[in-house]
Amino acid sequence: MNLKIHPIFRSVLLVLLVPLFSPFYGQVYGQETVEGQIPDSVEIHALTQLYLSTDGEEWEDNKNWLKANKWPDWEGVTYENGDVVELNLRSNGLEGTIPDALYDLIALEVLDLSRNQLTGRISKKIGQLTQMKFLELFRNRLSGTFPAEFEKLSKILLLSVSVNNFGGEVPSVLYELTSLQELHIGANSFSGQITENIGNLINLEVLDMGENYFEGMLPSSLGHLSKLERLNLDFNLLSGTIPGSFANLTSLELLDVSYNQLSGPIPQFLADLPLRWFWVDANQFTSYPDFSQHPDPESLFITFDQNRLDFGDLEPNWTESGSIFSYPRYDNQDSVATFYDPSSMTYSVEVAGEYNQYQWFRNGEVITGATTASLTFNPSTNHRNQQGTDTYQCRITNTRITDLTLWSRSTTTHSGRYYAIADGDWHSPIWSREPGGARTDQVPGAGSEVFIEGKNVVVSRDASCGPVHVVIKGAGASLVVDAADLTIQGTLELTKATEGFPGGVKAVNGGRVIPLAN
């Protein structure tokens, strides 16, 4: 008959029996092991606690674990000079918490528990692992922060805790681990600013702080990390410009600042670095480096889509035969504003580039012959909706950079009749679309017909509209043009509805009313 023991009682028995059997753990196939600086009984207890705390019976590979005659050949345990120096249980199905007893393995140089389902916090007892060189806890469910005792890990070369649930500001103790060559804290919930103390880590070769909630400016002290080969800051909330100190990163092969809020020009000096991967997409950059002098631009993996670049920024990296890069990604730029000059009733775009082509659209339809950077409004040919709105937009293409199309931001001309319903400035929301009707946030645009009934309206900025009817009622209506030009596309009609009340149109302080014939 097979006797089954409940898992809880089995764990209790193991805890009670291990000390009784510890004298036999010194035997390995009949040979005595060497007793190191740490008693074998302490190491066995520490590992047994890890086994029990992380459901060892369900591990992917638990070969020889808790077998007396197999110590110290337990799977994943490396034993040198009588002590456990490495514990590697990566991707082994550990589920539970890291017991405090594990930190009694003070000779550990390598601890790799990555790619498991560990939870809980890192204990203050981690400060006992003063020989630690490689600590990998990547892809678990650990949380909290790093205790101050981390400062005692003075020999650590690699710290990898990415893809966990750590949060808050980065503890200052991490910036004191000057021996670090690799620091991976990406894909957590860290927040706050990256402080200038990051520059203390002068031996860093790899720094991954991506996929967090860091904000503020990039610290200029990052330029102190002259050994840095990989810098990953993607998917944060960083803003401002790329510091000039980045010119000192003369070993940098990978720079990823994509999906932030960085702005301004991308410095030209980055083209002089030994970059192989350069990812700046989804920011607000307004210029791009010229990589034409790069010794091997086809080896670069480049992405810079979703910025504010135009063809003038990109043309230096294109020849008649196409891009100097093998596989650049550069779609969806948002750099083009649509300007409107009310005095000349002209729409225009400003796009740098030698090989640009333009096409204007009204309400989504091509305007025949409108193929320059500007479009002058003409009511007889451009305006369609007498009581609605017209939307204007320009499409810009380039004969060299053929896979990119830029669209100017659309601008809308409101048409139809407008009635002043309150005193105020022409550009304030004081209008209705019907006599005595509801307020509208729209303002009269080119092609509009304006009625001012018993109200006073001041034009203090240049404006343009269609026919203006000033109807004097009650206390009288007036249209005052103050230090501005009012261009009227049509007629200016003055009507007195009641005798004896002043009103009409006045031009003061150099203002002008400019009627234009139909």
Side-chain angles (χ1 to χ4, degrees):
M1 179 178 68
N2 293 329
L3 180 62
K4 294 185 178 181
I5 304 176
H6 193 279
I8 294 178
F9 297 118
R10 181 168 58 243
S11 298
V12 172
L13 286 173
L14 285 170
V15 172
L16 295 174
L17 294 176
V18 163
L20 299 178
F21 287 106
S22 60
F24 298 100
Y25 283 126
Q27 300 290 332
V28 183
Y29 303 111
Q31 302 294 322
E32 287 286 337
T33 62
V34 177
E35 187 80 16
Q37 62 173 329
I38 309 169
D40 285 354
S41 59
V42 172
E43 296 179 310
I44 292 166
H45 175 72
L47 295 173
T48 301
Q49 290 301 310
L50 176 65
Y51 186 91
L52 298 176
S53 295
T54 59
D55 198 12
E57 289 196 352
E58 298 298 323
W59 290 358
E60 295 290 332
D61 189 350
N62 56 11
K63 181 180 178 182
N64 294 333
W65 275 73
L66 305 191
K67 294 182 179 178
N69 64 337
K70 296 296 184 180
W71 169 255
D73 291 333
W74 296 0
E75 184 64 33
V77 177
T78 300
Y79 189 80
E80 290 182 2
N81 299 321
D83 291 319
V84 177
V85 295
E86 178 176 347
L87 179 59
N88 187 340
L89 296 173
R90 172 188 289 247
S91 302
N92 204 34
L94 279 69
E95 185 171 355
T97 59
I98 301 174
D100 278 2
L102 185 68
Y103 301 109
D104 294 333
L105 299 176
I106 61 175
L108 268 182
E109 297 180 7
V110 178
L111 176 60
D112 188 349
L113 301 178
S114 55
R115 296 184 180 275
N116 286 292
Q117 299 181 47
L118 297 172
T119 56
R121 296 170 174 259
I122 296 177
S123 170
K124 293 180 179 181
K125 292 189 67 177
I126 197 168
Q128 298 177 180
L129 304 182
T130 57
Q131 303 303 308
M132 183 66 65
K133 295 180 180 178
F134 301 91
L135 177 57
E136 299 191 60
L137 301 172
F138 167 83
R139 199 178 286 278
N140 277 285
R141 300 175 183 174
L142 299 169
S143 59
T145 187
F146 302 106
E149 286 75 11
F150 251 89
E151 66 179 356
K152 298 178 181 179
L153 277 59
S154 59
K155 297 182 180 180
I156 192 165
L157 303 176
L158 180 149
L159 174 60
S160 176
V161 295
S162 296
V163 196
N164 276 284
N165 297 318
F166 295 111
E169 295 188 357
V170 174
S172 59
V173 66
L174 286 191
Y175 297 135
E176 303 304 319
L177 302 177
T178 56
S179 61
L180 273 173
Q181 295 177 359
E182 295 191 26
L183 176 59
H184 302 264
I185 62 172
N188 279 285
S189 296
F190 289 113
S191 58
Q193 295 190 352
I194 303 173
T195 72
E196 293 289 344
N197 290 337
I198 192 74
N200 296 340
L201 305 181
I202 58 175
N203 290 304
L204 274 184
E205 298 174 4
V206 178
L207 175 58
D208 177 13
M209 304 178 78
E211 298 185 55
N212 280 288
Y213 299 95
F214 292 117
E215 58 186 4
M217 308 280 283
L218 292 170
S220 60
S221 63
L222 282 169
H224 299 167
L225 310 182
S226 59
K227 297 180 181 180
L228 203 61
E229 298 176 2
R230 293 171 174 256
L231 176 57
N232 189 341
L233 299 169
D234 67 327
F235 287 94
N236 278 289
L237 303 171
L238 299 168
S239 58
T241 59
I242 295 178
S245 61
F246 275 37
N248 300 322
L249 301 179
T250 54
S251 299
L252 197 63
E253 297 182 356
L254 182 149
L255 176 59
D256 187 356
V257 294
S258 57
Y259 290 88
N260 278 283
Q261 300 169 13
L262 298 170
S263 58
I266 301 176
Q268 176 60 37
F269 63 70
L270 292 179
D272 299 325
L273 302 181
L275 290 172
R276 296 177 58 194
W277 298 272
F278 184 41
W279 301 327
V280 298
D281 37 317
N283 280 283
Q284 301 171 25
F285 290 120
T286 55
S287 74
Y288 198 76
D290 177 358
F291 282 93
S292 60
Q293 301 305 310
H294 191 280
D296 186 15
E298 290 190 356
S299 68
L300 288 171
F301 185 8
I302 299 289
T303 66
F304 49 90
D305 51 311
Q306 300 182 57
N307 278 282
R308 294 183 176 178
L309 308 174
D310 65 18
F311 291 116
D313 301 312
L314 307 182
E315 279 184 354
N317 295 303
W318 264 258
T319 66
E320 292 182 2
S321 58
S323 171
I324 64 175
F325 311 117
S326 292
Y327 302 103
R329 195 178 70 200
Y330 54 93
D331 291 337
N332 303 322
Q333 302 299 323
D334 181 23
S335 63
V336 186
T338 301
F339 300 100
Y340 177 61
D341 181 357
S343 63
S344 61
M345 302 176 68
T346 298
Y347 300 94
S348 63
V349 293
E350 296 178 0
V351 180
E354 185 178 349
Y355 305 98
N356 295 348
Q357 296 178 320
Y358 303 89
Q359 177 62 64
W360 285 92
F361 289 75
R362 180 186 61 244
N363 302 327
E365 297 182 3
V366 169
I367 301 176
T368 304
T371 56
T372 64
S374 62
L375 171 68
T376 299
F377 180 85
N378 185 330
S380 63
T381 59
N382 295 149
H383 182 63
R384 295 192 344 166
N385 299 329
Q386 295 301 315
Q387 297 296 326
T389 59
D390 285 314
T391 299
Y392 290 86
Q393 192 174 24
C394 187
R395 181 186 68 198
I396 308 99
T397 55
N398 189 281
T399 56
R400 285 200 172 183
I401 309 173
T402 56
D403 290 336
L404 177 62
T405 298
L406 301 180
W407 287 92
S408 70
R409 302 185 191 101
S410 62
T411 186
T412 299
T413 297
H414 302 295
S415 60
R417 293 186 172 186
Y418 284 79
Y419 296 83
I421 61 172
D423 295 349
D425 183 83
W426 182 277
H427 294 276
S428 299
I430 58 172
W431 302 98
S432 173
R433 300 308 297 269
E434 300 291 339
R439 190 183 189 96
T440 177
D441 289 338
Q442 298 177 359
V443 297
S448 299
E449 188 175 18
V450 175
F451 289 79
I452 304 170
E453 299 184 341
K455 303 296 178 182
N456 300 302
V457 173
V458 177
V459 179
S460 57
R461 292 186 291 172
D462 290 353
S464 177
C465 67
V468 174
H469 303 265
V470 180
V471 181
I472 300 173
K473 289 184 177 180
S478 66
L479 173 62
V480 178
V481 183
D482 186 354
D485 285 349
L486 171 62
T487 302
I488 300 172
Q489 186 71 38
T491 60
L492 175 62
E493 178 184 335
L494 305 179
T495 303
K496 282 190 176 182
T498 305
E499 292 293 336
F501 292 94
V505 178
K506 301 176 184 178
V508 299
N509 297 323
R512 296 187 302 166
V513 179
I514 308 173
L516 297 179
N518 283 327

